[in-house]
Amino acid sequence: MPNWCSNYVSFEGSEENIRKVDEIFEKMIQRQSISSQGEKPAFQEEILEGYYFDIEKQDSGIYSYETRWAPNPLDLEVIARHFNVSFIVEFEELGNYVFGKAKFNIDETDGLQIMELDHNDTSDILYDEEDDSFVYKDQKSESDREILEQIFKDKFDEYY
């Protein structure tokens, strides 16, 4: 059974293009409610990184969904290019310390920028059984997510 990676994506672009993105996601949500399986956009012949599960619309152009084990920013880039929009996706799978963010700006030539923590970033996180907390350097927290957020911010401060 896979660990589930939580993804929170926000698309940006013209109102018309965001409406088209919404239509695609709404169709995936409808198909998912019938099939109870992972989905992908109908126009996307090949899935590059992973199907979308448990898709929920948060607002226009804003969705949360799950993927198996890892995020799928390459698949989001296919959607963004298809509809001429940009996006930011935040992702996390805390069981394996998968934690990061990806950005794609349709108007820039940089392409997809993926910023995520790697094993070197998280190898010093310790668990203290005595007081049920996580410890990293001089920081202690009941939530490993808080520590991951701080490590991410420190590593990618230039993007904030």
Side-chain angles (χ1 to χ4, degrees):
M1 184 164 187
N3 287 356
W4 292 100
C5 182
S6 298
N7 301 267
Y8 311 93
V9 64
S10 176
F11 292 95
E12 297 175 354
S14 72
E15 191 175 314
E16 177 183 344
N17 290 350
I18 295 299
R19 191 178 74 254
K20 291 176 184 177
V21 169
D22 285 340
E23 288 172 7
I24 288 297
F25 271 85
E26 286 167 11
K27 286 178 184 176
M28 290 194 303
I29 290 169
Q30 288 172 351
R31 289 194 313 265
Q32 151 187 290
S33 70
I34 296 168
S35 72
S36 298
Q37 295 184 19
E39 291 295 330
K40 67 177 184 176
F43 67 83
Q44 190 175 353
E45 295 175 18
E46 181 180 331
I47 194 79
L48 302 174
E49 293 181 304
Y51 289 87
Y52 302 74
F53 294 86
D54 299 325
I55 307 163
E56 292 184 14
K57 183 176 184 176
Q58 307 300 315
D59 203 345
S60 181
I62 302 173
Y63 295 88
S64 63
Y65 61 93
E66 304 286 318
T67 49
R68 291 182 172 167
W69 300 107
N72 62 345
L74 294 178
D75 293 313
L76 291 172
E77 183 181 8
V78 170
I79 293 171
R81 289 187 184 281
H82 186 83
F83 292 111
N84 198 36
V85 296
S86 302
F87 72 83
I88 295 175
V89 62
E90 295 180 12
F91 51 85
E92 63 184 46
E93 190 282 292
L94 298 181
N96 291 307
Y97 291 147
V98 173
F99 193 87
K101 183 185 285 193
K103 296 179 180 183
F104 175 76
N105 187 329
I106 194 72
D107 297 324
E108 294 180 7
T109 58
D110 293 3
L112 181 63
Q113 296 177 342
I114 301 173
M115 302 157 285
E116 63 185 320
L117 300 181
D118 59 31
H119 178 71
N120 292 332
D121 300 320
T122 61
S123 62
D124 293 334
I125 298 174
L126 303 173
Y127 179 70
D128 184 345
E129 289 184 31
E130 274 188 33
D131 63 356
D132 192 28
S133 65
F134 294 89
V135 180
Y136 177 75
K137 296 184 180 178
D138 61 348
Q139 183 179 355
K140 194 174 220 179
S141 175
E142 291 180 10
S143 165
D144 54 346
R145 187 179 200 292
E146 286 179 19
I147 291 176
L148 291 171
E149 286 175 349
Q150 186 60 51
I151 296 170
F152 184 83
K153 185 176 182 316
D154 293 346
K155 183 175 181 177
F156 296 105
D157 195 39
E158 66 197 61
Y159 295 101
Y160 281 92

